[in-house]
Each structure stands twice: as structure tokens, then as C-alpha cells.
Amino acid sequence: MLGGIIGGAAGALGGIFGGISKNKMLKQQMAMINEQKRENQNWYDRRYNEDATQRADAQAILTKTADMIKQRNQQSAGTQAVMGGTEESVAAAKEANAKALSDATSQIAVAGAQRKDQIEGQYRERKQQLDETLRNLEGQKQNIFDIASNTIGGAVNGFANGMGLG
């Protein structure tokens, strides 16, 4: 009888300490997941709000386009001076060149919008994964409490039965 009581109490204590240890581990994992969620949010905020025209690749395209336009304008002015072209032809060339720069900027903006859609998709997918992981950990945490309650209840019943109280 005494052995049964001691065994039940030892089992209950082991279950409680095991549950406490597992609960502590789950809390640490949840804290790490929450940190990953914060990092994901910071990444999204930083990347989504970038100005597409200020990125290095966009600046390189705009610089090349501007240099090409400058060369064309100089060629047009030189041709006009040597061959006697009209002011209208120079103006038309400058207008065409300005349109080329505008088109390049528009293409960068379109690519930037597509990039934002991609970033938003990646962010949402990662957030969903992290949220699912947190839900699973919460479920494990609840299971620990259920097991601990059952273990303690069983130990109390075993003690009461051993003492002839049950």
C-alpha cells in the first residue's frame, strides 16, 4: 500500500517536472518564432517601401539612357550645325529622347510594382508558416497542461484509494 502511494506520488512529480521542462522549451520556441515574425515584418516593411527608381539596377538603366540621350542630342545638334538642319528636327530628336527616358522610367515603375507583389506574396507565405507553427506549439502547450492535470488527478485518486478514502 505504501509502495503504491510512493510510486503514484513519484510518477506525479515526474510528470509535473517533465511538463514544466517541456513547457519551458515550448515558450522558448514560441519566443523564437515571434522573433522571426518581427524580422519578417521588418523585411517586408523595408523591401515593400523601397523606391524602385532608387535601386542600383534602376539607376544604372536611367544613367545609361540619359547618357545615350545626351549623345543623340549632341549628334543632332552637330548634324544641324554642319548640314543645316532645322530647329524643328533638333526639337523632334530631343522630344524623342525625352520620351525614351520617360519610357525607361515607366518600365522601372512597372517592374517595381511586380516586385512589390512578389515581396507581398513572400511575406504572406512566411507569415502564414510562422503563424501555423505558433498554433501547433500552442496545441502542444495545451496538451502538456491536460497531461499534467490528468497525472495529478490520478495521483490524488491513487493516494486517496491507498489511504482508504476512495
Short mmCIF file of all heavy atoms in Angstrom, two decimals, residues 39-70:
data_model
loop_
_atom_site.label_atom_id
_atom_site.label_comp_id
_atom_site.label_asym_id
_atom_site.label_seq_id
_atom_site.Cartn_x
_atom_site.Cartn_y
_atom_site.Cartn_z
N GLU A 39 11.14 39.87 -37.54
CA GLU A 39 12.13 40.02 -38.61
C GLU A 39 11.46 39.99 -39.98
O GLU A 39 11.84 40.76 -40.87
CB GLU A 39 13.20 38.93 -38.51
CG GLU A 39 14.13 39.10 -37.33
CD GLU A 39 15.10 37.95 -37.17
OE1 GLU A 39 15.15 37.06 -38.05
OE2 GLU A 39 15.82 37.94 -36.16
N ASN A 40 10.49 39.13 -40.15
CA ASN A 40 9.76 39.04 -41.42
C ASN A 40 9.01 40.35 -41.68
O ASN A 40 9.01 40.85 -42.80
CB ASN A 40 8.78 37.86 -41.38
CG ASN A 40 8.13 37.57 -42.71
OD1 ASN A 40 8.78 37.55 -43.75
ND2 ASN A 40 6.83 37.34 -42.68
N GLN A 41 8.39 40.90 -40.64
CA GLN A 41 7.67 42.17 -40.78
C GLN A 41 8.64 43.29 -41.13
O GLN A 41 8.36 44.12 -42.02
CB GLN A 41 6.92 42.50 -39.49
CG GLN A 41 6.09 43.77 -39.58
CD GLN A 41 4.92 43.64 -40.53
OE1 GLN A 41 4.16 42.70 -40.46
NE2 GLN A 41 4.77 44.60 -41.43
N ASN A 42 9.79 43.34 -40.48
CA ASN A 42 10.79 44.37 -40.78
C ASN A 42 11.30 44.24 -42.22
O ASN A 42 11.47 45.24 -42.92
CB ASN A 42 11.96 44.29 -39.80
CG ASN A 42 11.58 44.71 -38.40
OD1 ASN A 42 10.58 45.40 -38.19
ND2 ASN A 42 12.34 44.28 -37.42
N TRP A 43 11.56 43.00 -42.66
CA TRP A 43 12.00 42.76 -44.04
C TRP A 43 10.94 43.27 -45.01
O TRP A 43 11.26 43.97 -45.97
CB TRP A 43 12.24 41.26 -44.24
CG TRP A 43 12.50 40.88 -45.66
CD1 TRP A 43 13.70 40.93 -46.31
CD2 TRP A 43 11.55 40.41 -46.62
NE1 TRP A 43 13.55 40.50 -47.61
CE2 TRP A 43 12.23 40.19 -47.83
CE3 TRP A 43 10.18 40.16 -46.57
CZ2 TRP A 43 11.60 39.71 -48.97
CZ3 TRP A 43 9.56 39.69 -47.71
CH2 TRP A 43 10.27 39.46 -48.89
N TYR A 44 9.69 42.92 -44.73
CA TYR A 44 8.60 43.35 -45.61
C TYR A 44 8.51 44.87 -45.64
O TYR A 44 8.43 45.46 -46.73
CB TYR A 44 7.27 42.76 -45.10
CG TYR A 44 6.06 43.31 -45.81
CD1 TYR A 44 5.73 42.89 -47.08
CD2 TYR A 44 5.26 44.27 -45.20
CE1 TYR A 44 4.62 43.39 -47.74
CE2 TYR A 44 4.15 44.77 -45.85
CZ TYR A 44 3.83 44.33 -47.11
OH TYR A 44 2.74 44.84 -47.75
N ASP A 45 8.51 45.52 -44.50
CA ASP A 45 8.41 46.98 -44.45
C ASP A 45 9.53 47.64 -45.24
O ASP A 45 9.31 48.60 -45.98
CB ASP A 45 8.42 47.49 -43.00
CG ASP A 45 7.16 47.11 -42.24
OD1 ASP A 45 6.14 46.77 -42.88
OD2 ASP A 45 7.21 47.14 -41.00
N ARG A 46 10.74 47.12 -45.07
CA ARG A 46 11.90 47.70 -45.74
C ARG A 46 11.83 47.49 -47.26
O ARG A 46 11.99 48.42 -48.03
CB ARG A 46 13.16 47.06 -45.15
CG ARG A 46 14.45 47.66 -45.59
CD ARG A 46 15.66 47.04 -44.86
NE ARG A 46 15.72 45.60 -44.97
CZ ARG A 46 15.45 44.73 -44.00
NH1 ARG A 46 15.09 45.16 -42.81
NH2 ARG A 46 15.53 43.42 -44.20
N ARG A 47 11.58 46.26 -47.66
CA ARG A 47 11.61 45.93 -49.08
C ARG A 47 10.39 46.47 -49.84
O ARG A 47 10.51 46.93 -50.96
CB ARG A 47 11.68 44.40 -49.28
CG ARG A 47 12.92 43.74 -48.72
CD ARG A 47 14.20 44.10 -49.45
NE ARG A 47 14.20 43.81 -50.83
CZ ARG A 47 14.61 42.69 -51.41
NH1 ARG A 47 15.06 41.71 -50.67
NH2 ARG A 47 14.57 42.54 -52.71
N TYR A 48 9.21 46.39 -49.23
CA TYR A 48 7.99 46.80 -49.91
C TYR A 48 7.99 48.31 -50.16
O TYR A 48 7.46 48.78 -51.16
CB TYR A 48 6.76 46.41 -49.09
CG TYR A 48 5.46 46.62 -49.83
CD1 TYR A 48 5.00 45.68 -50.74
CD2 TYR A 48 4.69 47.76 -49.64
CE1 TYR A 48 3.83 45.86 -51.44
CE2 TYR A 48 3.51 47.95 -50.33
CZ TYR A 48 3.08 47.00 -51.22
OH TYR A 48 1.91 47.18 -51.91
N ASN A 49 8.60 49.06 -49.25
CA ASN A 49 8.57 50.52 -49.35
C ASN A 49 9.77 51.11 -50.07
O ASN A 49 9.93 52.33 -50.10
CB ASN A 49 8.41 51.13 -47.95
CG ASN A 49 7.06 50.80 -47.35
OD1 ASN A 49 6.03 50.94 -48.00
ND2 ASN A 49 7.06 50.30 -46.13
N GLU A 50 10.60 50.27 -50.65
CA GLU A 50 11.73 50.78 -51.44
C GLU A 50 11.21 51.50 -52.68
O GLU A 50 10.23 51.09 -53.28
CB GLU A 50 12.62 49.63 -51.91
CG GLU A 50 13.50 49.03 -50.87
CD GLU A 50 14.31 47.86 -51.42
OE1 GLU A 50 13.92 47.25 -52.43
OE2 GLU A 50 15.33 47.55 -50.80
N ASP A 51 11.90 52.57 -53.04
CA ASP A 51 11.57 53.28 -54.28
C ASP A 51 12.29 52.57 -55.42
O ASP A 51 13.53 52.51 -55.45
CB ASP A 51 12.04 54.74 -54.16
CG ASP A 51 11.73 55.57 -55.40
OD1 ASP A 51 11.18 55.01 -56.38
OD2 ASP A 51 12.02 56.77 -55.38
N ALA A 52 11.51 52.01 -56.32
CA ALA A 52 12.08 51.21 -57.42
C ALA A 52 13.07 52.01 -58.25
O ALA A 52 14.04 51.45 -58.77
CB ALA A 52 10.97 50.65 -58.29
N THR A 53 12.85 53.30 -58.39
CA THR A 53 13.75 54.11 -59.22
C THR A 53 15.08 54.41 -58.52
O THR A 53 16.01 54.86 -59.16
CB THR A 53 13.09 55.44 -59.63
OG1 THR A 53 12.81 56.20 -58.46
CG2 THR A 53 11.83 55.21 -60.43
N GLN A 54 15.14 54.14 -57.21
CA GLN A 54 16.37 54.41 -56.47
C GLN A 54 17.26 53.18 -56.30
O GLN A 54 18.36 53.28 -55.76
CB GLN A 54 16.04 55.00 -55.09
CG GLN A 54 15.32 56.33 -55.16
CD GLN A 54 16.08 57.37 -55.96
OE1 GLN A 54 17.26 57.60 -55.76
NE2 GLN A 54 15.39 57.98 -56.92
N ARG A 55 16.81 52.05 -56.77
CA ARG A 55 17.62 50.84 -56.69
C ARG A 55 18.81 50.97 -57.64
O ARG A 55 18.75 51.68 -58.65
CB ARG A 55 16.78 49.62 -57.06
CG ARG A 55 15.73 49.26 -56.02
CD ARG A 55 14.83 48.13 -56.47
NE ARG A 55 15.48 47.11 -57.25
CZ ARG A 55 15.92 45.94 -56.77
NH1 ARG A 55 15.75 45.67 -55.50
NH2 ARG A 55 16.50 45.06 -57.56
N ALA A 56 19.88 50.28 -57.35
CA ALA A 56 21.11 50.37 -58.14
C ALA A 56 20.89 49.96 -59.60
O ALA A 56 21.39 50.63 -60.52
CB ALA A 56 22.21 49.52 -57.52
N ASP A 57 20.13 48.89 -59.82
CA ASP A 57 19.90 48.45 -61.20
C ASP A 57 19.08 49.47 -61.98
O ASP A 57 19.35 49.74 -63.16
CB ASP A 57 19.23 47.08 -61.24
CG ASP A 57 17.92 47.01 -60.44
OD1 ASP A 57 17.65 47.90 -59.62
OD2 ASP A 57 17.17 46.02 -60.65
N ALA A 58 18.10 50.08 -61.33
CA ALA A 58 17.29 51.11 -62.00
C ALA A 58 18.13 52.35 -62.28
O ALA A 58 18.02 52.95 -63.36
CB ALA A 58 16.08 51.47 -61.14
N GLN A 59 18.96 52.73 -61.34
CA GLN A 59 19.83 53.89 -61.54
C GLN A 59 20.79 53.66 -62.70
O GLN A 59 21.06 54.58 -63.48
CB GLN A 59 20.60 54.22 -60.25
CG GLN A 59 19.76 54.88 -59.19
CD GLN A 59 19.25 56.23 -59.64
OE1 GLN A 59 20.01 57.08 -60.11
NE2 GLN A 59 17.95 56.44 -59.50
N ALA A 60 21.28 52.44 -62.83
CA ALA A 60 22.19 52.12 -63.95
C ALA A 60 21.46 52.26 -65.28
O ALA A 60 22.01 52.84 -66.24
CB ALA A 60 22.74 50.70 -63.78
N ILE A 61 20.23 51.78 -65.36
CA ILE A 61 19.44 51.90 -66.60
C ILE A 61 19.17 53.36 -66.91
O ILE A 61 19.32 53.81 -68.05
CB ILE A 61 18.11 51.11 -66.48
CG1 ILE A 61 18.40 49.62 -66.47
CG2 ILE A 61 17.15 51.47 -67.60
CD1 ILE A 61 17.20 48.76 -66.11
N LEU A 62 18.78 54.12 -65.90
CA LEU A 62 18.48 55.54 -66.11
C LEU A 62 19.73 56.32 -66.53
O LEU A 62 19.66 57.19 -67.40
CB LEU A 62 17.85 56.16 -64.86
CG LEU A 62 16.44 55.66 -64.52
CD1 LEU A 62 15.98 56.23 -63.19
CD2 LEU A 62 15.46 56.02 -65.64
N THR A 63 20.86 55.98 -65.92
CA THR A 63 22.12 56.66 -66.28
C THR A 63 22.51 56.33 -67.71
O THR A 63 22.88 57.23 -68.48
CB THR A 63 23.24 56.24 -65.30
OG1 THR A 63 22.86 56.63 -63.99
CG2 THR A 63 24.56 56.90 -65.66
N LYS A 64 22.41 55.07 -68.11
CA LYS A 64 22.73 54.68 -69.49
C LYS A 64 21.80 55.37 -70.48
O LYS A 64 22.24 55.85 -71.52
CB LYS A 64 22.62 53.16 -69.67
CG LYS A 64 23.79 52.38 -69.18
CD LYS A 64 23.60 50.91 -69.52
CE LYS A 64 24.82 50.11 -69.11
NZ LYS A 64 24.69 48.69 -69.45
N THR A 65 20.52 55.41 -70.14
CA THR A 65 19.55 56.06 -71.02
C THR A 65 19.85 57.55 -71.14
O THR A 65 19.83 58.12 -72.24
CB THR A 65 18.12 55.85 -70.49
OG1 THR A 65 17.88 54.44 -70.38
CG2 THR A 65 17.08 56.45 -71.42
N ALA A 66 20.14 58.19 -70.01
CA ALA A 66 20.46 59.62 -70.03
C ALA A 66 21.73 59.89 -70.84
O ALA A 66 21.79 60.87 -71.61
CB ALA A 66 20.61 60.16 -68.61
N ASP A 67 22.75 59.05 -70.70
CA ASP A 67 23.99 59.21 -71.48
C ASP A 67 23.71 59.03 -72.98
O ASP A 67 24.22 59.80 -73.80
CB ASP A 67 25.05 58.20 -71.03
CG ASP A 67 25.64 58.53 -69.66
OD1 ASP A 67 25.42 59.67 -69.18
OD2 ASP A 67 26.29 57.64 -69.07
N MET A 68 22.90 58.04 -73.32
CA MET A 68 22.56 57.80 -74.72
C MET A 68 21.80 59.01 -75.28
O MET A 68 22.07 59.47 -76.40
CB MET A 68 21.69 56.55 -74.82
CG MET A 68 21.28 56.18 -76.23
SD MET A 68 20.16 54.78 -76.28
CE MET A 68 18.71 55.47 -75.48
N ILE A 69 20.89 59.55 -74.49
CA ILE A 69 20.13 60.72 -74.93
C ILE A 69 21.05 61.92 -75.13
O ILE A 69 20.93 62.65 -76.12
CB ILE A 69 19.01 61.04 -73.91
CG1 ILE A 69 17.91 59.98 -74.01
CG2 ILE A 69 18.43 62.43 -74.11
CD1 ILE A 69 16.90 60.04 -72.89
N LYS A 70 21.97 62.08 -74.22
CA LYS A 70 22.91 63.21 -74.33
C LYS A 70 23.73 63.08 -75.62
O LYS A 70 23.90 64.07 -76.35
CB LYS A 70 23.82 63.21 -73.10
CG LYS A 70 24.76 64.37 -73.03
CD LYS A 70 25.58 64.31 -71.75
CE LYS A 70 26.58 65.44 -71.70
NZ LYS A 70 27.42 65.38 -70.49
#
